[in-house]
Amino acid sequence: LRFRSLAARSRGARGGAGAETQVGNDLGSPEPLRWLLRSPFDRNVPVQLELQELLLDHVFQRLGVSSQGCVDHPIVLTEAVCNPLYSRQMMSELLFECYQVPKVSYGVDSLYSFYHNRRQNWPCSGLVISSGYQCTHILPVLEGRLDAKHCKRINLGGCQAAVYLQRLLQLKYPGHFAAITLSRMEEILHEHSYIAQDYTEELQKWRCPEYYENNVHKMQLPFSNKLLGSTVASEEKQEKRQQQLRRLQELNARRREEKLQLDQERLDRLLYVQELLEDGQMDQFHKALVELNMDSAEELQSYINKLSLSVEQTKQKILQSEVNIEVDVVDSKPETPDLDPLGSEQSLEDVESINEFEPLFAEEQPEVEKPVAAVQPVFNLAEYHQLFLGTERIRAPEIIFQPSLIGEDQAGIAETMQYVLERYSKEQQAILVQNVFLTGGNAMYPGLKARIQKELLEMRPFQSSFQVSLASSPVLDAWYGARDWAVEHMTREEGWISRKDYEEKGGEYLKEHCASNVYVPIRLPKQAPRAAEAPSRASGTGNLSEQA
């Protein structure tokens, strides 16, 4: 059973539904739940036993363990190199007290992988390089047993490489910031990245345009093919523009008619007052002038002239708008006979006045003579949503050899490997380098084996030999090795911690075997009895007084 060691607990609906916990592959894509994800591990050490219990429940349920109230099966469990005693104690307590397992065995995943790929002359010696998701280990193995005193760990792995790659691509493509997720970065690392044999020389190759074109990888991001304004057919656009033109013309005609009616009513009122003056009814005339807020007959005549001109212009505009509508109809349908509602005696001045009002709706009128071309986007959307992977393919995995690329003050694999080898004599160094074993998820990078061989060639003496081997399945060999060990040692007591051992020696107790850690028990300093301490203190003070 393979699943991710993650769990997410939803808050539940407001209607009263309880919170739901999803574990492992039931989560689907982790990106929408990234802020809810929880793991029992701090790097590779389990620290939250509540979540670990959820994961174990998930395992036993999916594997179909049918025993009631207990798990009546021996358990083989991997742990971190030099695992803290408190972590092992809590894990043993969980297995023996909660699940009632009969016996359990702890081992190191990379040593199980080394055991699965062992040679015929087992037990043998070798240098195990294990690079996983959270950290990288250099483990010397002498005569089939781990030499824990000289083990070294680098706090870099696939997780840090994915974060670094995400930062690089987000700086390169700020427009796709949200689409560059950690899940996609892990996919790019697995499928497109490789280890450069010489990092500086490889970067120089990428400066060549031809090399870049031949080796760049393109990754397509999801996008929507719908463009604003391009989904409507040209005929529908033309029809909408014509409808908008008609509505605008009707609105303008309605406004002109309302203005004409108001001006005509006011003009009739002023003409009535002027008739009072002509009839000699001066009292009524002066009273009407006061109501109109006018001072003299000349002012009245001036207003009458202005209103008369405004009424004539408004009538002319209404007439011209009707003519424009008829002209548009004739232009759009040239095969119909020419219909002239004003008659054939239309003067040249009328035509010119009509042409004066045509620019009023020039922006709204569709161009009938020119064919309407399809709307083309300014750029190709598919190409815009592509990620070009160039030097990022080698920069992200390079951090395990050069942690300074991400600002980490640590040594890389080559320096750490040389430091570990220098802890041994020349004879032991020669034995270790004859079996350099690569395992872990990062061992799947193409070029890692060649890079390790190059580093060993540089650090080893002239004409010395070494051999580098790669795990047959770097990710799953730890499980295969644990299976092989369990089958071979099922009837033995070597390596198994029974419930009696747990009750007598504590949860931190470990039985060593070929793939396990080294057990270092807790030794508390013995306190001397107080009765014996008193004379010693007295004699000590006496000696001091004598010396004084």
Side-chain angles (χ1 to χ4, degrees):
L1 177 66
R2 296 181 63 184
F3 66 96
R4 292 167 290 187
S5 57
L6 297 173
R9 178 172 298 174
S10 60
R11 296 181 178 179
R14 292 185 178 180
E20 181 183 0
T21 302
Q22 295 177 329
V23 178
N25 297 333
D26 296 341
L27 293 170
S29 175
E31 293 307 325
L33 302 172
R34 179 71 65 181
W35 63 284
L36 287 175
L37 293 180
R38 300 175 64 194
S39 173
F41 295 94
D42 181 5
R43 291 192 178 270
N44 56 345
V45 177
V47 293
Q48 298 188 26
L49 273 301
E50 294 180 0
L51 294 177
Q52 184 64 42
E53 184 177 353
L54 285 177
L55 296 183
L56 291 176
D57 288 342
H58 180 78
V59 168
F60 297 139
Q61 181 181 2
R62 294 302 176 92
L63 292 179
V65 177
S66 58
S67 53
Q68 295 293 330
C70 65
V71 177
D72 194 15
H73 298 273
I75 301 294
V76 178
L77 201 65
T78 60
E79 62 179 10
V81 181
C82 301
N83 190 37
L85 296 181
Y86 178 75
S87 176
R88 186 186 302 134
Q89 177 185 357
M90 298 301 293
M91 187 64 70
S92 297
E93 181 179 347
L94 178 65
L95 292 174
F96 284 109
E97 301 294 345
C98 182
Y99 295 101
Q100 304 293 326
V101 298
K103 56 184 178 179
V104 65
S105 177
Y106 295 103
V108 180
D109 50 0
S110 53
L111 297 182
Y112 278 133
S113 179
F114 185 65
Y115 182 79
H116 178 68
N117 293 271
R118 64 188 183 276
R119 300 177 179 178
Q120 295 180 355
N121 57 341
W122 181 264
C124 60
S125 301
L127 190 67
V128 180
I129 301 177
S130 172
S131 184
Y133 188 68
Q134 291 285 0
C135 53
T136 301
H137 290 98
I138 311 293
L139 308 178
V141 178
L142 295 175
E143 297 298 328
R145 299 303 296 269
L146 174 68
D147 186 8
K149 291 183 179 180
H150 298 141
C151 292
K152 294 298 174 185
R153 182 182 69 181
I154 306 171
N155 290 322
L156 290 174
C159 176
Q160 288 76 17
V163 173
Y164 181 49
L165 180 60
Q166 183 186 33
R167 193 195 323 167
L168 290 176
L169 292 180
Q170 284 178 345
L171 290 173
K172 186 177 181 181
Y173 299 99
H176 306 312
F177 193 89
I180 301 176
T181 61
L182 279 177
S183 299
R184 289 196 176 100
M185 296 307 101
E186 292 176 0
E187 178 184 350
I188 290 175
L189 284 175
H190 294 161
E191 299 181 4
H192 303 280
S193 297
Y194 66 97
I195 300 287
Q197 188 169 353
D198 190 322
Y199 181 67
T200 306
E201 182 181 345
E202 192 74 15
L203 287 180
Q204 293 296 329
K205 291 181 182 179
W206 279 97
R207 298 182 65 180
C208 177
E210 294 182 0
Y211 186 87
Y212 179 86
E213 290 294 332
N214 295 332
N215 294 276
V216 67
H217 286 191
K218 300 177 182 179
M219 182 177 180
Q220 184 67 56
L221 295 176
F223 67 97
S224 176
N225 201 20
K226 293 183 179 180
L227 280 175
L228 294 177
S230 64
T231 56
V232 185
S234 59
E235 295 82 3
E236 296 179 359
K237 289 184 178 180
Q238 185 176 355
E239 174 113 15
K240 286 184 177 180
R241 295 185 67 180
Q242 289 179 355
Q243 291 178 0
Q244 293 175 357
L245 176 61
R246 293 193 195 99
R247 285 197 297 267
L248 184 59
Q249 289 174 344
E250 292 174 359
L251 180 62
N252 290 337
R254 194 179 305 114
R255 289 178 178 176
R256 292 192 187 102
E257 290 176 358
E258 293 175 356
K259 184 177 183 297
L260 177 61
Q261 184 178 359
L262 292 175
D263 290 346
Q264 188 66 45
E265 291 176 357
R266 191 172 184 186
L267 180 60
D268 293 342
R269 171 74 173 165
L270 295 179
L271 291 176
Y272 171 74
V273 175
Q274 190 179 29
E275 289 177 359
L276 292 177
L277 177 62
E278 293 174 355
D279 294 342
Q281 300 177 6
M282 300 304 295
D283 294 337
Q284 296 181 1
F285 173 72
H286 288 294
K287 186 178 180 180
L289 280 181
V290 173
E291 292 178 356
L292 294 174
N293 199 16
M294 293 183 184
D295 297 332
S296 62
E298 291 78 6
E299 187 177 358
L300 175 64
Q301 186 63 40
S302 174
Y303 272 100
I304 290 175
N305 294 336
K306 289 180 181 180
L307 278 177
S308 300
L309 181 60
S310 176
V311 168
E312 287 298 326
Q313 288 179 353
T314 305
K315 289 181 179 180
Q316 189 70 19
K317 288 180 180 179
I318 293 175
L319 180 62
Q320 296 301 334
S321 63
E322 294 176 355
V323 172
N324 280 336
I325 294 176
E326 295 297 332
V327 170
D328 290 340
V329 173
V330 171
D331 290 342
S332 60
K333 298 181 180 179
E335 65 275 9
T336 58
D338 189 7
L339 301 178
D340 190 0
L342 300 179
S344 59
E345 297 180 358
Q346 188 177 13
S347 63
L348 182 61
E349 297 178 355
D350 295 335
V351 176
E352 291 177 354
S353 62
I354 291 173
N355 293 332
E356 291 178 359
F357 289 93
E358 286 183 357
L360 295 176
F361 305 102
E363 297 180 358
E364 312 298 333
Q365 294 175 356
E367 298 179 1
V368 182
E369 295 83 9
K370 297 181 181 180
V372 180
V375 179
Q376 295 293 336
V378 180
F379 55 88
N380 191 337
L381 260 186
E383 292 183 358
Y384 175 72
H385 286 84
Q386 283 181 354
L387 302 181
F388 287 75
L389 305 175
T391 56
E392 294 83 9
R393 296 176 57 196
I394 61 173
R395 292 176 68 183
E398 183 66 20
I399 65 171
I400 61 176
F401 288 92
Q402 300 185 52
S404 59
L405 292 176
I406 58 174
E408 290 288 340
D409 189 13
Q410 299 184 52
I413 287 182
E415 299 171 77
T416 308
M417 183 168 53
Q418 183 176 7
Y419 179 84
V420 170
L421 289 174
E422 289 176 352
R423 303 301 99 185
Y424 297 96
S425 63
K426 293 184 179 180
E427 293 77 12
Q428 290 177 325
Q429 290 183 26
I431 295 174
L432 289 175
V433 297
Q434 289 301 320
N435 186 15
V436 178
F437 179 71
L438 307 178
T439 186
N442 291 336
M444 299 179 68
Y445 285 133
L448 179 64
K449 181 178 178 180
R451 178 67 175 270
I452 296 295
Q453 290 174 340
K454 172 181 173 295
E455 300 290 349
L456 282 172
L457 184 63
E458 293 177 356
M459 71 178 67
R460 295 298 298 156
F462 179 64
Q463 290 185 346
S464 62
S465 62
F466 56 85
Q467 186 175 356
V468 180
S469 59
L470 186 65
S472 57
S473 177
V475 176
L476 293 179
D477 274 357
W479 185 88
Y480 288 130
R483 180 199 61 182
D484 297 344
W485 183 92
V487 170
E488 294 176 7
H489 295 76
M490 184 63 67
T491 57
R492 307 180 193 174
E493 294 185 359
E494 178 189 358
W496 293 103
I497 305 171
S498 63
R499 185 173 185 84
K500 182 179 179 181
D501 295 331
Y502 164 74
E503 293 174 350
E504 291 180 356
K505 302 176 182 179
E508 70 276 1
Y509 177 67
L510 172 69
K511 274 192 177 180
E512 297 182 8
H513 56 88
C514 60
S516 71
N517 277 309
V518 176
Y519 177 54
V520 181
I522 300 177
R523 290 190 178 93
L524 298 176
K526 295 183 179 180
Q527 296 182 357
R530 295 183 179 180
E533 288 180 358
S536 63
R537 288 180 182 177
S539 61
T541 54
N543 294 334
L544 288 175
S545 61
E546 290 176 1
Q547 293 175 3

